[in-house]
Amino acid sequence: IHTSSKSSLYLMEKALPYLHEPTRFSQEINNIAYQLSVPASWIMAVIYSESRFDANVYNHKGSGAVGLIQFMPKTAQELGVSSFSLSQMTASEQLTYVYKYFKKVKARYGSYQNLADFYLAVLYPKARGKDFCYTLYARPSTSYKQNSGLDENRDGAVTVSDIHLRMKRLFPDAYNEY
């Protein structure tokens, strides 16, 4: 299990503009990492990928997702909160639901194996543990259009391989951690 201090928390410099309570946020990230048995860098990388640390951001492609890990309205409801409530929370407050979400996915699909697997927990949980050829989204679907930025090799399909390539390209330090 990897934890780090506030000063060395992965991507913290990118998070700071959005944080009202950076020390509390760092402590919560490290606590969640410990509880989930994952590196804190994975949590930070996934949050950065989904929201750039803006807890109040709605998905700009119209999915209705909101917040640090882009909670879908149905997911928020399953966690006992509304999308609107999430959009009104600070990043530190929202981490309670980030933890609940990852804990729920871990209970259903098993322990997290690597950064791509951890990211898939948010993006497409059913793809966790699938082989690199497994397709999440393919052209011409709406889901593909909404996630086409994840198609690393631009072949018209987002696969598990694309997620690994993207995470390794964007977050090499976190990708190699564990």
Side-chain angles (χ1 to χ4, degrees), residues 21 41 104 149 158 172:
E21 307 163 294
S41 62
K104 179 179 170 183
V158 176

Side-chain angles (χ1 to χ4, degrees), residues 83-99:
S83 296
F84 178 77
S85 293
L86 284 168
S87 75
Q88 302 301 303
M89 292 179 189
T90 67
S92 295
E93 292 167 340
Q94 214 176 89
L95 286 177
T96 298
Y97 296 96
V98 169
Y99 171 67

